[in-house]
Amino acid sequence: MDMSSLRGKTALVTGAASGIGLETALAFARRGADLVICDLDETRLGAAGERIEGLGRSVLARRVDVSSADEMRAFAAEVHQGIDAVDILMNNAGVAIGGPFLSTSLEDWNWILGINTLGVVHGCHFFIPNMVRRAQGGHVINVSSAAGYSASSMLPAYNATKFSVLGLSEALWEELRPHAIGVTAVCPGLIDTPITRNARLVGEMDKPEMREDMVRGYQRRGYTPDRVARNILKAVEKNRLVAPISPEAWALYYVKRFAPWLLRRIGLLLAKRAQG
Ligand SMILES: NC(=O)c1ccc[n+]([C@@H]2O[C@H](COP(=O)([O-])OP(=O)(O)OC[C@H]3O[C@@H](n4cnc5c(N)ncnc54)[C@H](O)[C@@H]3O)[C@@H](O)[C@H]2O)c1
């Protein structure tokens, strides 16, 4: 998709009140797109809407839980009253769980699968059919992660959701190609956003010092969500199917492809270090 000007186009971003979603919504608005945004956090969503309007673009902002099929159906119905279809659909809303499988409860699984996996399915289910029917192309951006192709014993639930988003995106890429709808699975590495404060930590990771270590580690790494947004725009422009973002995400991508055994060694070392 030509991203040089998005004037006259509508971009939808889920989880747009914070982090990568917020910065990408602002980047779309700066290129001239009108925005449809949703999030669970109404206060921050309102602030995001004001920033988009401040850039001279129109915005429809709604509190929507992406894990709820009913809420997503109602949201899509409202959006499609105003336009035939969105031009860019960005399924970004996501949460994280850190800690081993043996400490992850079924409630944890339902929570993360509901948001990270079904949230993306709901976005695709309720918005892509209109894009196809309108027959003017478009682009679907699904936010996976470097954890969507490299697994770790510290992230089993998160890995399962992000691998599923990457798999769905690869399948969709093929199905939507005849409709001139591109698909990009965005796979960032360690990005300094509030996700580190909001992640659920379980088992041996459920310690305040572990969280502080993680927050500080991501801050020191210093890769900001506005850089991710810039790279997402480039990946869509190039119609890239899988878009690792940040040097560590690229490194893991190549190690996984060419030396998967090395990835297992690194994983074992990191897990040992995390256990102290
Ligand atoms: N930060 C990272 O290091 C990193 C790395 C790779 C991938 N990601 C992915 O990027 C995406 C954005 O994460 P972020 O780092 O910007 O985190 P963030 O916490 O800053 O933003 C996530 C947003 O999603 C919203 N949200 C959560 N549950 C929701 C729900 N049920 N319905 C609607 N909105 C909901 C939150 O309120 C929040 O505003 C996520 O999918 C995450 O997994 C993040």
Side-chain angles (χ1 to χ4, degrees):
M1 176 182 264
D2 176 14
M3 300 295 282
S4 56
S5 169
L6 295 177
R7 241 161 235 290
K9 300 228 180 326
T10 303
L12 183 151
V13 183
T14 68
S18 168
I20 294 168
L22 171 62
E23 292 300 333
T24 314
L26 292 171
F28 290 148
R30 286 190 196 100
R31 299 278 172 106
D34 293 321
L35 265 297
V36 175
I37 56 174
C38 75
D39 204 286
L40 275 184
D41 184 332
E42 260 180 308
T43 312
R44 282 162 172 261
L45 187 68
E50 282 170 19
R51 288 182 68 183
I52 292 165
E53 281 169 351
L55 292 165
R57 308 315 317 163
S58 81
V59 61
L60 175 77
R62 290 289 179 265
R63 187 204 177 276
V64 177
D65 178 351
V66 296
S67 72
S68 158
D70 288 344
E71 289 188 25
M72 286 294 276
R73 183 183 295 108
F75 182 43
E78 185 181 358
V79 170
H80 294 136
Q81 271 169 19
I83 52 172
D84 292 337
V86 298
D87 298 280
I88 297 174
L89 167 65
M90 177 166 171
N91 292 302
N92 161 78
V95 291
I97 297 179
F101 177 83
L102 292 177
S103 306
T104 308
S105 68
L106 280 182
E107 196 274 321
D108 291 329
W109 276 101
N110 283 324
W111 177 68
I112 197 165
L113 283 165
I115 298 168
N116 290 12
T117 298
L118 277 181
V120 175
V121 172
H122 291 153
C124 293
H125 180 81
F126 289 114
F127 289 96
I128 292 175
N130 279 54
M131 297 170 77
V132 169
R133 256 194 308 276
R134 187 186 60 164
Q136 288 175 25
H139 207 96
V140 177
I141 304 164
N142 290 332
V143 181
S144 175
S145 169
Y149 46 75
S150 58
S152 148
S153 59
M154 289 178 289
L155 292 172
Y158 190 68
N159 283 140
T161 64
K162 293 301 180 180
F163 270 65
S164 74
V165 170
L166 184 55
L168 169 64
S169 304
E170 291 191 357
L172 270 178
W173 181 88
E174 238 176 78
E175 185 172 341
L176 297 181
R177 201 176 151 80
H179 302 285
I181 298 171
V183 179
T184 297
V186 172
C187 300
L190 307 177
I191 315 301
D192 186 15
T193 73
I195 204 169
T196 51
R197 290 259 171 233
N198 301 332
R200 283 190 188 178
L201 299 181
V202 299
E204 64 237 38
M205 284 190 73
D206 183 16
K207 295 184 194 131
E209 61 271 26
M210 280 275 190
R211 183 173 306 273
E212 284 317 307
D213 270 4
M214 179 172 72
V215 170
R216 269 201 306 275
Y218 277 60
Q219 282 169 349
R220 266 200 306 272
R221 170 74 190 83
Y223 203 104
T224 51
D226 56 308
R227 282 177 76 184
V228 178
R230 282 200 295 277
N231 282 306
I232 289 176
L233 265 60
K234 279 188 206 156
V236 173
E237 174 89 50
K238 290 183 186 152
N239 199 12
R240 197 181 267 289
L241 169 54
V242 183
I245 291 179
S246 80
E248 64 275 12
W250 276 107
L252 286 168
Y253 181 70
Y254 283 117
V255 173
K256 169 78 181 200
R257 271 179 85 175
F258 299 116
W261 58 271
L262 184 57
L263 204 56
R264 298 277 60 82
R265 283 286 170 82
I266 297 170
L268 288 172
L269 275 174
L270 287 177
K272 212 165 155 188
R273 224 183 66 182
Q275 280 154 12

